[in-house]
Amino acid sequence: MSYDDQNIFAKILRGEIPCDKVFEDDHCLAFNDISPQAPTHVLVIPKGPYVSFDDFHANATDAEIVGFVRGVGTVARMCGIADDGYRILSNIGTNGFQEVPHLHVHVVGGRHMGRMLSKPRD
Ligand code: AMP
């Protein structure tokens, strides 16, 4: 799948639409999810044009990967959820039910998250 630079997160990165920014550095941008599923629900995205984790793992530089992973951990600590624990997840492609085709990691916490997976209803 090639990268669609008109996806909503690409527009956020270019500043064409606003976001509720939590953190930014050379490698990543983090902002609050517009439809939070927990008291803390932040999306962390790399600045490079990567469709998914699969694309990122295959094509990103080591510096981009290190920078992004460090960004995810930094965001969790900044949000104050690291001590009690939290969940990170990234949906990939059709079976992963990925809706926005720019790699993003969901950082969710602030409450007990329950079991990791449930059976889909549809
Ligand atoms: P996914 O299903 O993993 O692709 O997740 C996409 C996430 O992006 C969902 O949790 C949406 O609520 C979130 N989202 C979509 N548009 C925006 C936006 N403009 N600002 C913040 N979060 C968004």
Side-chain angles (χ1 to χ4, degrees):
M1 184 185 190
S2 61
Y3 185 79
D4 171 15
D5 69 3
Q6 293 306 304
N7 78 76
I8 195 157
F9 294 170
K11 291 180 179 178
I12 287 175
L13 274 172
R14 291 194 296 268
E16 294 168 8
I17 62 171
C19 71
D20 184 10
K21 189 180 351 181
V22 171
F23 175 75
E24 181 172 16
D25 67 11
D26 288 347
H27 291 288
C28 69
L29 174 67
F31 50 92
N32 285 312
D33 195 292
I34 205 165
S35 180
Q37 305 298 308
T40 296
H41 186 167
V42 178
L43 302 173
V44 189
I45 68 175
K47 291 200 163 171
Y50 299 104
V51 175
S52 67
F53 182 84
D54 185 66
D55 182 19
F56 191 63
H57 120 88
N59 297 307
T61 66
D62 288 357
E64 287 176 308
I65 292 171
V66 169
F68 182 65
V69 171
R70 288 206 183 283
V72 172
T74 296
V75 165
R77 289 205 164 271
M78 278 182 59
C79 292
I81 58 174
D83 287 346
D84 287 339
Y86 59 98
R87 180 168 293 160
I88 58 175
L89 67 90
S90 188
N91 298 317
I92 299 154
T94 304
N95 280 0
F97 214 86
Q98 180 180 1
E99 294 176 300
V100 180
H102 182 112
L103 168 60
H104 48 285
V105 167
H106 298 253
V107 179
V108 287
R111 65 167 168 78
H112 196 280
M113 301 309 301
R115 288 193 184 278
M116 187 172 71
L117 296 172
S118 59
K119 286 187 178 171
R121 278 188 280 270
D122 50 289

